[in-house]
Amino acid sequence: MKREDVAKRIAEDLLNDNVLDEQNFNYDTDAILQHVQDTVLSHLRDYSLLAGTIF
C-alpha cells in the first residue's frame, strides 16, 4: 500500500467518524479530505512504511 493510500484512508476514517470540522471547509468534502491527506503525508515523509510478517 502506498503512503498516499494510507493518508487517504486515515482522512476518510476521520471524516466518517465525524472527527473533522466540515464547517471550516464550507462542507467541501473533497477539500477537507485533501487537507488531511496533505497533513498526514507531510508527517510521514521522513518514515518508511513496511508491511509484512515477522517470524
Side-chain angles (χ1 to χ4, degrees), residues 13-32:
D13 284 350
L14 291 173
L15 184 64
N16 292 335
D17 291 341
N18 296 317
V19 175
L20 304 175
D21 187 0
E22 296 174 88
Q23 184 177 355
N24 285 338
F25 287 83
N26 293 319
Y27 299 95
D28 183 347
T29 303
D30 291 333
I32 197 168

Side-chain angles (χ1 to χ4, degrees), residues 3-4 7 34 36-46:
R3 62 182 62 230
E4 291 82 8
Q34 188 62 52
V36 173
Q37 288 176 52
D38 292 344
T39 302
V40 170
L41 287 172
S42 73
H43 288 281
L44 291 178
R45 70 175 173 256
D46 296 327

